[in-house]
Amino acid sequence: YDDAIKYFRRLQREADGQQDLGTVARAQLSVTNALLERRSYEPYINDAPLYTDANDALLAARRARDLDLELEALRLLGEVLMSEQPERARTHVDTCIEQAGKSKRPLALSKCLWIRGRLLADSDPVGAQRAIDQAIALLQYEDGADHGLLAYAWRHGMRIAWQIQSTDAAISTGKRALAAIERLRDLQPGLESRAAAFSTWTQDYYWLSGQILRLAYDAPRITDESGETRIRALLDEG
């Protein structure tokens, strides 16, 4: 990630010198995406620049007058602020949803809807489920599906499920999320590409396993046969 960020920043500087506003915005978005992905793998790293870079990406997209880049920047700001400043995140996400709907950008709309689902999970479970269902539906087409974005949508749907669904339903949703990731991996042309694709999503397998194993080990130590069976089943799932 550090090398990727270095090269994206270099691209940004080069484009800025050429007054290529579109490339400046895309490079800034790439920096923010790389920082966000790095946070997923290294949650304890200092990511103080993340909000600044995300906001800079929004300003750059607006200077370039590129609506698609602006919508992506709004989605990124929502995701960056989601945990620490949910109200500010909601403002950006709602703007994205409104603009994407008016301009008929279904992919951008889907991305911002799945962030809305995460933001609503604690306060409005029904609204959260509606948002993630709509996000997934937008990625299904008559001639097929966008398997790459579907995997991302299900990644967020899996996390929402553990906040709003019963345990069994959440486990089932998690399995559907992993199935979406497996479909994406199977579409890669060769073994090396499949391995690279799988490595990108390993954190989701670990996350789901961790949730299930936590249930098993935190469960009351019921001594009857049904309780022990339930704990063994959870351990097998994990």
Side-chain angles (χ1 to χ4, degrees):
Y1 289 106
D2 290 340
D3 285 343
I5 292 163
K6 179 178 69 175
Y7 284 114
F8 285 135
R9 292 200 190 281
R10 179 179 172 185
L11 172 61
Q12 181 185 4
R13 290 192 298 272
E14 295 285 344
D16 191 48
Q18 298 295 321
Q19 292 297 299
D20 184 348
L21 299 181
T23 300
V24 170
R26 282 187 287 274
Q28 186 62 53
L29 281 167
S30 296
V31 168
T32 310
N33 269 312
L35 287 167
L36 192 59
E37 284 291 319
R38 185 177 69 176
R39 185 170 70 175
S40 298
Y41 285 95
E42 304 173 32
Y44 302 109
I45 197 168
N46 177 20
D47 62 356
L50 190 47
Y51 169 74
T52 300
D53 278 297
N55 194 59
D56 286 347
L58 178 60
L59 296 175
R62 286 175 173 166
R63 284 195 297 270
R65 299 180 183 276
D66 189 314
L67 180 59
D68 292 307
L69 296 179
E70 181 177 345
L71 293 173
E72 180 66 10
L74 287 166
R75 190 274 302 173
L76 274 171
L77 275 165
E79 191 162 0
V80 166
L81 295 168
M82 183 167 52
S83 298
E84 301 297 329
Q85 301 182 57
E87 290 303 318
R88 290 183 68 190
R90 179 74 179 269
T91 298
H92 293 300
V93 170
D94 286 349
T95 301
C96 175
I97 290 170
E98 180 182 1
Q99 292 186 5
K102 286 181 179 178
S103 60
K104 301 186 185 306
R105 264 46 173 210
L107 297 185
L109 179 57
S110 176
K111 292 179 182 180
C112 287
L113 280 168
W114 73 52
I115 302 300
R116 172 184 275 181
R118 295 285 297 276
L119 290 166
L120 290 176
D122 288 332
S123 61
D124 183 5
V126 174
Q129 191 63 61
R130 186 186 304 118
I132 194 66
D133 289 344
Q134 187 180 354
I136 290 170
L138 284 167
L139 301 174
Q140 307 282 355
Y141 311 105
E142 291 183 4
D143 57 347
D146 189 322
H147 292 287
L149 286 181
L150 273 172
Y152 279 102
W154 277 110
R155 164 185 280 180
H156 289 278
M158 175 171 67
R159 285 157 175 77
I160 291 169
W162 283 86
Q163 293 177 262
I164 67 175
Q165 296 179 0
S166 68
T167 298
D168 289 339
I171 291 173
S172 177
T173 298
K175 289 180 178 179
R176 294 179 70 185
L178 298 188
I181 294 169
E182 294 287 347
R183 282 194 297 273
L184 178 62
R185 184 186 65 170
D186 291 343
L187 290 171
Q188 305 308 308
L191 291 177
E192 186 174 343
S193 296
R194 292 178 186 179
F198 183 76
S199 67
T200 303
W201 298 92
T202 50
Q203 60 176 306
D204 298 283
Y205 288 80
Y206 290 138
W207 188 90
L208 181 59
S209 293
Q211 298 301 310
I212 295 171
L213 292 174
R214 186 176 295 112
L215 280 176
Y217 286 109
D218 289 349
R221 295 305 173 187
I222 303 171
T223 56
D224 61 36
E225 185 176 345
S226 63
E228 292 178 357
T229 300
R230 175 63 174 165
I231 291 171
R232 284 198 300 272
L234 287 170
L235 291 172
D236 289 340
E237 289 280 8

